[in-house]
């Protein structure tokens, strides 16, 4: 008799999905450990290590002093010696105080050793605005990390991808920067979107690094985006469907490597392109996506592409001003209507 297993309907928020992936990999491999500020009994300020300290103890869930250069350097040393550390930089904005460790050591050791030394390390960090955290706690900066060669960059937008990309990141022999937006974590004390709690596969779940996902299929216009902006784009797509507009939403999931083929395939179908990016407008991901299409085959485009991104200025603290600069629904809808005009 043949039996079939019913698909899981278990739902988790993104932070629990991350913690589950970390726990599963720690159980499977004693060389995996996690360290950072407030990651022990507190469980991480964004819930990424909730419950792990009770299971694995202080030798594998390590609370560190507020010295990012020191503990990221410690993680690099452990990785070089064959361990698989996960090191949390509390906010991506803090990269400035430890950039030497990240860019000149974590990212370059494999290259400088002629490929003889690997750095199998995950650097996790919180990104994103919308919570009046001010100019030094609200940036995404994934374009900055992606611009520096030697690191893979992943950015999940939903619970299942958060688990699958974390699993892949821990197992990867390259340094991986794992960037999670506060707005997708599904935490009760933060404004959350309705998709931040969703079905997450039980057991082993792997999402390949460098493979984009079609979050919504469409035929009239392609919206390429990532992280929380995926949800904003889906909301706009739902609204425009009532007007007969079919929007395809591409969730990049990874910046390095970048799934350019997924972008080109979608634009070849729709002929129109909008890129939505919570990082800064200039010198970043949005320009890279446009360049990919134009340099490959500009004839794919029926209209000039549009970018919806952060203006090149510090992010305001005041709620009304912050929401004015973020790439939210109104700006996304306006850009889509422009390329369709």
């Amino acid at each position: 008799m043949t039996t079939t297993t019913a698909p899981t309907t278990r739902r988790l928020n993104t932070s629990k999905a991350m913690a589950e992936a970390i726990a599963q990999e720690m159980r499977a491999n004693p060389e995996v450990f996690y360290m950072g500020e407030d990651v022990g009994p507190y469980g991480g300020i964004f819930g990424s290590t909730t419950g792990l300290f009770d299971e694995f103890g202080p030798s594998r869930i390590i609370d560190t002093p507020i010295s990012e250069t020191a503990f990221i350097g410690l993680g690099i040393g452990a990785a070089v010696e064959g361990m698989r550390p996960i090191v949390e930089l509390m906010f991506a904005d803090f990269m400035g105080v430890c950039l030497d460790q990240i860019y000149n050591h974590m990212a370059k050791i494999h290259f400088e050793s002629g490929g003889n030394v690997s750095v199998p390390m995950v650097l996790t960090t919180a990104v994103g605005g919308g919570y009046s955290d001010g100019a030094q706690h609200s940036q995404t900066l994934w374009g900055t990390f992606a611009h520096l060669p030697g690191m893979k960059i992943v950015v999940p937008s939903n619970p299942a991808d958060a688990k699958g990309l974390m699993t892949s990141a821990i197992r990867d022999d390259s340094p991986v920067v794992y960037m999670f937006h506060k707005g997708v974590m599904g935490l009760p004390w933060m404004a959350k979107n309705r998709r931040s709690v969703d079905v997450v596969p039980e057991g082993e779940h792997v999402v390949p690094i460098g493979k984009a996902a079609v979050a919504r299929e469409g035929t009239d216009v392609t919206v390429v985006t990532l992280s929380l902006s995926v949800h904003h784009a889906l909301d706009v797509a739902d609204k425009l469907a009532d007007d007969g507009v079919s929007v395809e939403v591409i969730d990049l999931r990874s910046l390095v490597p970048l799934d350019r083929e997924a972008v080109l395939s979608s634009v070849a179908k729709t002929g129109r392109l909008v890129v939505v990016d919570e990082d800064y407008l200039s010198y970043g991901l949005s320009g890279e996506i446009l360049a990919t299409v134009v340099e490959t085959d500009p004839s794919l485009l029926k209209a000039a592409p549009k970018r919806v991104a952060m203006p090149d200025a510090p992010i305001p603290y005041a709620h009304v001003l912050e929401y004015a600069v973020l790439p939210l629904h109104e700006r996304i809808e306006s850009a889509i209507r422009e390329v369709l005009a």
Side-chain angles (χ1 to χ4, degrees), residues 35-95:
M35 65 178 171
E37 298 158 8
D38 295 323
V39 303
Y42 190 77
I45 67 167
F46 300 110
S48 53
T49 57
T50 299
L52 299 186
F53 185 84
D54 293 338
E55 179 174 353
F56 299 103
S59 64
R60 295 184 69 191
I61 305 296
I62 304 170
D63 269 327
T64 66
I66 304 176
S67 181
E68 290 83 358
T69 296
F71 65 74
I72 290 176
L74 174 60
I76 295 167
V80 165
E81 292 299 319
M83 302 187 78
R84 291 188 175 269
I86 309 163
V87 184
E88 182 173 309
L89 178 65
M90 188 177 286
F91 291 88
D93 316 67
F94 299 168
M95 68 181 293

Side-chain angles (χ1 to χ4, degrees), residues 14 155-159 161-162 184 193 195 226-228 230-231 251:
T14 303
V155 190
S157 69
N158 59 73
D161 283 354
V184 306
N193 68 79
R195 304 178 193 87
L226 72 170
S227 192
L228 182 61
V230 171
H231 304 278
D251 180 357

Side-chain angles (χ1 to χ4, degrees), residues 149-315:
M151 306 175 286
K152 295 181 179 180
I153 316 294
V154 300
V155 190
S157 69
N158 59 73
D161 283 354
K163 179 178 179 178
L165 286 170
M166 178 60 78
T167 301
S168 292
I170 295 170
R171 295 179 182 180
D172 203 292
D173 288 333
S174 300
V176 179
V177 182
Y178 182 106
M179 310 182 78
F180 56 91
H181 198 295
K182 307 158 204 170
V184 306
M185 296 299 279
L187 299 170
W189 51 275
M190 302 183 78
K192 60 184 179 182
N193 68 79
R194 57 191 171 90
R195 304 178 193 87
S196 59
V197 178
D198 206 347
V199 173
V200 177
E202 298 186 58
E204 182 180 76
H205 175 57
V206 179
V207 172
I209 295 174
K211 184 67 174 176
V214 180
R216 179 190 177 107
E217 293 190 354
T219 56
D220 294 330
V221 57
T222 296
V223 176
V224 176
T225 188
L226 72 170
S227 192
L228 182 61
S229 294
V230 171
H231 304 278
H232 298 328
L234 289 172
D235 291 340
V236 172
D238 289 343
K239 177 183 177 182
L240 291 178
D242 294 336
D243 295 337
V245 177
S246 177
V247 179
E248 179 148 295
V249 179
I250 303 296
D251 180 357
L252 290 174
R253 301 199 292 193
S254 300
L255 274 71
V256 181
L258 180 61
D259 191 351
R260 300 176 195 270
E261 288 303 318
V263 174
L264 292 168
S265 176
S266 181
V267 175
K269 178 172 65 172
T270 67
R272 296 174 176 85
L273 173 63
V274 173
V275 184
V276 181
D277 181 15
E278 199 177 314
D279 207 347
Y280 297 116
L281 176 69
S282 299
Y283 316 108
L285 172 67
S286 60
E288 186 67 25
I289 297 298
L290 265 59
T292 294
V293 175
V294 172
E295 290 179 346
T296 302
D297 186 359
S299 69
L300 295 176
L301 293 167
K302 300 175 183 176
K306 294 291 182 181
R307 294 187 287 167
V308 182
M310 294 291 291
D312 301 326
I315 299 171

